[in-house]
Amino acid sequence: MKLFPYGHATHPQWRMAAGLVLAQLRAQMALHGYASAPGLGLLYITDHYTAQAQDILDFLGAELPEITDWAGTVGIGIASNNVEYFDEPALAVMLCELPSDQYRVFSGVSPLPPPGASHFQAHTALVHADAGTPDVAELIAEMAQRTSSGYVFGGLASSRSKAVQFALSGSGNVKGQGAAGGVFSGGLSGVAFAQGAGLMSRVTQGCRPVSREHEITACDANVVTELDGQSALDVMLADLGVSLDAPREALEKVRTTLVGLRSAEALQDGRIRRPGQFGADVLVRHIIGLDPARQGVAIAELPSPGMTLAFCERNAEAARADLVRVCAEIREELEPEELTLEVASALSASEAESAPHPARRIAGAIYISCAGRGGPHFGAPSAELQIVRRALGDVPLVGFFAGGEIARHNLYGYTGVLTVFTAAAG
């Protein structure tokens, strides 16, 4: 297995940042153990560079002619191994060495064909989406149906200006929406991977429940009117320990409260639940209003009777513990039962000595987290990515902070989605 070269940099001038990234990529490509002939580039930029997105892609494409395919997007923050860039001009690149028949770049105007419609069979897909696209959650679910696993991963572009995406294919530019150079806005884009590409993905939640789960027994559009056969508003107030007799205190508490929803199907899947934590089957949504007339609670989702609802809150400790858990799960699944002395030494190296190493059986990683997480939520600059590095190991990694995270066929909030390219990719 070859490690995927990666680089990241910040600079007020995009050309200087791109030059620093190129120097890192070229140095790694010359090292033993790193991929020397990658064909797919993943590019993430902060929104400071949005206006220069086409220039950046053109420059990298010219400097790295061996990279025939590009995908990526913009975030208000981007991530790489052990570092986060928020509110500063920055970019990160990872170059993936995969057989050309194991992946395909797609976009809304060059879509992924349905299963069985072509010789390429998508097993999963990295999806970048524009939050302003109508029915974006439904489009994500439809994209998942175009894969044999039913699982896609990724996130919504986040930007204080224009939300751009990168999609460039080796068979010619992915044209459309007025962009012939691989940079465009709107819809979905990304990279689909065949089963042989070797990917493993996990979702980590950033909220903890503050109530037990209730069954939704009645609702009207996005207003939940009954929980367990009782007034939804009364149940919520009781769970939160507040009263409308003290409206200011009640509203302050409600503003910091969210809801965790679980479908009736998820309730029957037999998975072991972790007390006091949400699993990946829970979708966290905002409370957007109270309806005293109907004794209801309005949420940013269209629920249905039979689903469960738990009130919850963002919590840094719960987020930290869950992030460590998913990283540990991945490492445990990948590390062989019997280790050679060389492998054991590489895995047990101190953080100061640690460097990306094939012994970890991870060629590269993509981490997409909520724009409301990151260092500020975890207590210090780059704290979230430092947790990933300590828990997962020192591996090539890029990603961004999204306006919504994609995993399975769902659109999440306040989560992190960690995906690794495993040894099978080599």
Side-chain angles (χ1 to χ4, degrees), residues 293-366:
R294 288 183 285 180
Q295 290 289 290
V297 179
I299 62 175
E301 185 61 73
L302 291 174
S304 58
M307 296 177 73
T308 66
L309 180 153
F311 297 103
C312 60
E313 64 183 8
R314 296 182 64 203
N315 182 272
E317 286 301 319
R320 184 179 292 109
D322 203 52
L323 180 54
V324 171
R325 176 189 63 82
V326 299
C327 292
E329 282 184 4
I330 289 175
R331 287 194 65 169
E332 288 171 8
E333 189 164 340
L334 289 177
E335 290 178 7
E337 293 183 9
E338 295 184 6
L339 303 179
T340 65
L341 181 60
E342 179 188 2
V343 170
S345 299
L347 295 177
S348 62
S350 69
E351 186 170 337
E353 299 170 335
S354 183
H357 197 286
R360 300 189 190 281
R361 301 184 69 207
I362 298 175
I366 302 169

Side-chain angles (χ1 to χ4, degrees), residues 27-168:
Q28 291 172 17
M29 290 168 71
L31 292 175
H32 174 73
Y34 278 87
S36 59
L40 170 65
L42 301 179
L43 168 61
Y44 296 108
I45 64 172
T46 61
D47 56 358
H48 290 70
Y49 286 154
T50 300
Q52 293 81 39
Q54 187 68 65
D55 293 332
I56 292 171
L57 182 60
D58 290 345
F59 177 78
L60 292 173
E63 292 292 324
L64 298 167
E66 66 272 30
I67 306 303
T68 57
D69 303 274
W70 289 92
T73 191
V74 61
I76 63 169
I78 63 170
S80 194
N81 178 33
N82 212 42
V83 67
E84 303 161 12
Y85 296 100
F86 270 100
D87 200 28
E88 58 183 324
L91 63 93
V93 174
M94 185 165 71
L95 306 180
C96 310
E97 186 173 81
L98 299 166
S100 59
D101 62 351
Q102 293 294 304
Y103 70 90
R104 176 175 293 182
V105 174
F106 65 88
S107 77
V109 294
S110 181
L112 189 65
S118 74
H119 70 280
F120 177 81
Q121 298 298 311
H123 180 66
T124 186
L126 167 62
V127 178
H128 305 124
D130 190 324
T133 300
D135 302 320
V136 67
E138 288 77 6
L139 290 174
I140 291 166
E142 194 273 336
M143 177 63 67
Q145 293 174 3
R146 292 174 179 256
T147 68
S148 60
S149 67
Y151 189 108
V152 296
F153 61 96
L156 304 184
S158 63
S159 176
R160 288 161 291 196
S161 55
K162 188 177 181 181
V164 298
Q165 298 173 51
F166 302 104
L168 193 65

